Amino acid sequence: MFGSSRSRHRITTALAGFALFTAGAALQVGTAAAPAHAATTYRVLFDDGHAEEAGNADWIISTSKPDPLSQDSTPSSETDWTGALSSWGVALQKTGNYSLKTATSALAYGGSSTTDLSKFDALVLPEPNTLFTSAEKTAIMTFVKNGGGLFMVSDHTGADRNNDGYDAVEIFNDLMTNNSVDSTDPFGFSIDTLDISSGYPAAISDSTNPVLHGSFGNVTKSLIADGTTATLKPSDNSAVKGLVYRSGYSGNTGAFFATSTFGSGRVAFWGDSSPIDDGTGQSGNTLYDGWNDSGATNAALALNATAWLAGGGSSGGGGGGGGGTCTAAQLLGNPGFESGNTTWTGSSGVITNSSSEAARTGSYKAWLDGYGSAHTDTLSQSVTIPSGCSATLSFYLHVDTAETTTSTAYDKLTVTAGSTTLATYSNLNAASGYVLKSFDVSSLAGTTATVKFTGVEGSTLQTSFVLDDTALNVS
């Protein structure tokens, strides 16, 4: 192979041209199968039957209801679906592991409706503004008790958007204290009647928590833009736990994000709707982009919590109970890099849709090195691997080089998971197409491990290490 130093990702060697020319043939095997997805599809229902669009609220994933796929069956960006929660919905949809629906009528459990709670693993209540009926409260509590996940997104006291005399604080407290299933503080917390104007509440330190450190990324802070908190009562439910706290608070007071369990199910509480607002929605609404707020990690928090509630964030619980066995899932966020520079942590320009190197599928891939000068690129993502699971890390790798040697590894790509080095590749592994690599990482079950790719390039002659369609499958 021959060539010389060149600018970043400017492929000019004869081999590179040949590689692109033969990409169609080389990638036919790769395109025969889509990236691996979870064997289990997690079913999530978003409620829109309780004035979630009143006033300036637009708490929907899509204007197409009950099925958002009717608006766009293959959304690639949040604007392909219309609603202030479209970023949330599209991010889940793009994993291939979730089936999403929107409920617009009364919530029920055990019926034949397509949006009956018995057909779902998690229910999202994004700042409801009308009281749940007695029958609905029974349905919700029964759903959780039998293994469902409940996501309660509140807002500040006084946020009565439809002026019916009730805000989300009152509505959620009524659900927990006035139902026919268990009204004795079933979740172990109550929502405070507060209006906290602003803040960036911080996450606790817990490296093993799947909500704070899940497949969609790590959570450091959230956002308060007129919100509230919860008071925890572990004496009533020992499972309740505060994960994110208002500045100056800890323990049982000032919990801005909390989780708990009830029966075989799981519960999450968030004290403000601003963090889930992506800033875009239906015309006429005044919205705020908290989803992408640079001072917080709201997207990771929402998505990790959804996965945990639905049963895809760790073994057991949620989504019907699980019984302590491993739930099959693909754990890496943004595995094919099609969401661009999200979820992964990497060197500038590594995740790219540049046409100079072909992606295996879609438009984006991760491209490490290729400068033709001394350079190091990294790409990493932390993931929690549930206890009791068998785990396999896989990815597709294409190596392109201008090096001519057949014996010396001048440029190297090292792959690690946790403290374990899984493999090292070099310019000697150059090939015209993508090659599947796979490793058993079951020894990391029960830990949060960082999957990391490190590319180190020598002083002359480029080598490009191109990755696509990653996966960390557990079963």
Side-chain angles (χ1 to χ4, degrees):
M1 300 175 190
F2 57 89
S4 60
S5 301
R6 75 285 313 280
S7 300
R8 167 64 164 153
H9 298 168
R10 296 292 294 243
I11 303 302
T12 58
T13 65
L15 174 66
F18 177 73
L20 290 174
F21 176 77
T22 60
L27 296 183
Q28 282 184 349
V29 174
T31 55
H37 293 307
T40 301
T41 298
Y42 302 105
R43 305 159 299 174
V44 182
L45 182 66
F46 287 79
D47 183 48
D48 187 35
H50 297 86
E52 281 92 350
E53 296 178 70
N56 280 320
D58 194 43
W59 311 142
I60 56 173
I61 58 173
S62 169
T63 52
S64 177
K65 309 164 195 173
D67 190 357
L69 296 181
S70 296
Q71 182 173 10
D72 191 319
S73 60
T74 56
S76 60
S77 68
E78 62 94 3
T79 54
D80 291 333
W81 289 355
T82 304
L85 306 189
S86 61
S87 287
W88 191 350
V90 169
L92 293 174
Q93 179 65 35
K94 288 172 67 174
T95 68
N97 299 336
Y98 292 85
S99 173
L100 311 177
K101 294 290 189 294
T102 299
T104 58
S105 57
L107 297 171
Y109 183 85
S112 60
S113 167
T114 57
T115 56
D116 188 86
L117 292 178
S118 63
K119 295 178 170 63
F120 293 88
D121 301 302
L123 169 65
V124 180
L125 300 176
E127 196 197 335
N129 254 249
T130 58
L131 285 168
F132 298 108
T133 66
S134 296
E136 286 181 310
K137 287 185 285 188
T138 298
I140 294 169
M141 297 299 293
T142 302
F143 167 70
V144 180
K145 186 176 182 179
N146 289 347
L150 177 63
F151 206 150
M152 305 162 66
V153 181
S154 186
D155 204 356
H156 61 89
T157 189
D160 180 8
R161 297 180 185 271
N162 61 344
N163 297 313
D164 70 343
Y166 296 98
D167 55 40
V169 174
E170 296 166 305
I171 292 165
F172 282 137
N173 281 334
D174 177 71
L175 168 66
M176 295 185 287
T177 61
N178 184 24
N179 68 80
S180 64
V181 178
D182 188 337
S183 293
T184 59
D185 193 22
F187 305 153
F189 66 85
S190 60
I191 303 175
D192 303 325
T193 55
L194 295 174
D195 183 351
I196 306 165
S197 62
S198 62
Y200 284 95
I204 65 170
S205 177
D206 185 348
S207 62
T208 64
N209 188 280
V211 175
L212 298 180
H213 303 282
S215 60
F216 291 96
N218 297 318
V219 176
T220 57
K221 292 183 178 181
S222 187
L223 162 76
I224 299 179
D226 286 313
T228 189
T229 55
T231 296
L232 311 186
K233 304 173 186 177
S235 59
D236 293 339
N237 186 329
S238 61
V240 70
K241 183 173 184 177
L243 301 186
V244 178
Y245 281 87
R246 180 185 180 189
S247 179
Y249 290 79
S250 63
N252 295 333
T253 59
F256 184 61
F257 195 103
T259 59
S260 189
T261 63
F262 175 63
S264 298
R266 297 171 171 176
V267 179
F269 158 79
W270 207 341
D272 195 358
S273 55
S274 295
I276 59 172
D277 185 345
D278 65 24
T280 67
Q282 299 174 89
S283 177
N285 291 320
T286 301
L287 301 170
Y288 172 79
D289 189 2
W291 185 267
N292 296 301
D293 191 294
S294 60
T297 46
N298 294 316
L301 183 52
L303 296 168
N304 286 343
T306 307
W308 178 75
L309 290 167
S314 64
S315 60
T325 60
C326 182
T327 301
Q330 193 293 106
L331 302 181
L332 290 177
N334 193 18
F337 308 109
E338 295 303 314
S339 295
N341 191 28
T342 63
T343 309
W344 295 88
T345 299
S347 304
S348 176
V350 164
I351 297 179
T352 177
N353 62 352
S354 167
S355 60
S356 297
E357 283 280 7
R360 176 179 174 269
T361 59
S363 301
Y364 282 82
K365 65 277 176 181
W367 185 346
L368 290 83
D369 296 328
Y371 286 88
S373 60
H375 185 81
T376 298
D377 275 334
T378 61
L379 181 72
S380 65
Q381 182 178 149
S382 293
V383 58
T384 299
I385 303 174
S387 300
C389 287
S390 297
T392 301
L393 174 68
S394 63
F395 55 89
Y396 285 83
L397 172 66
H398 167 53
V399 181
D400 172 89
T401 189
E403 300 284 357
T404 58
T405 180
T406 59
S407 60
T408 304
Y410 289 115
D411 314 306
K412 297 180 180 180
L413 176 74
T414 302
V415 185
T416 60
S419 60
T420 302
T421 298
L422 301 177
T424 300
Y425 306 100
S426 73
N427 47 281
L428 301 178
N429 299 110
S432 59
Y434 282 87
V435 179
L436 176 63
K437 308 294 183 181
S438 182
F439 305 90
D440 185 351
V441 292
S442 301
S443 62
L444 298 174
T447 70
T448 297
T450 298
V451 175
K452 187 174 183 179
F453 302 89
T454 304
V456 179
E457 194 172 22
S459 59
T460 61
L461 301 180
Q462 75 88 24
T463 298
S464 297
F465 301 101
V466 191
L467 304 165
D468 206 353
D469 296 337
T470 66
L472 204 166
N473 289 302
V474 295
S475 60

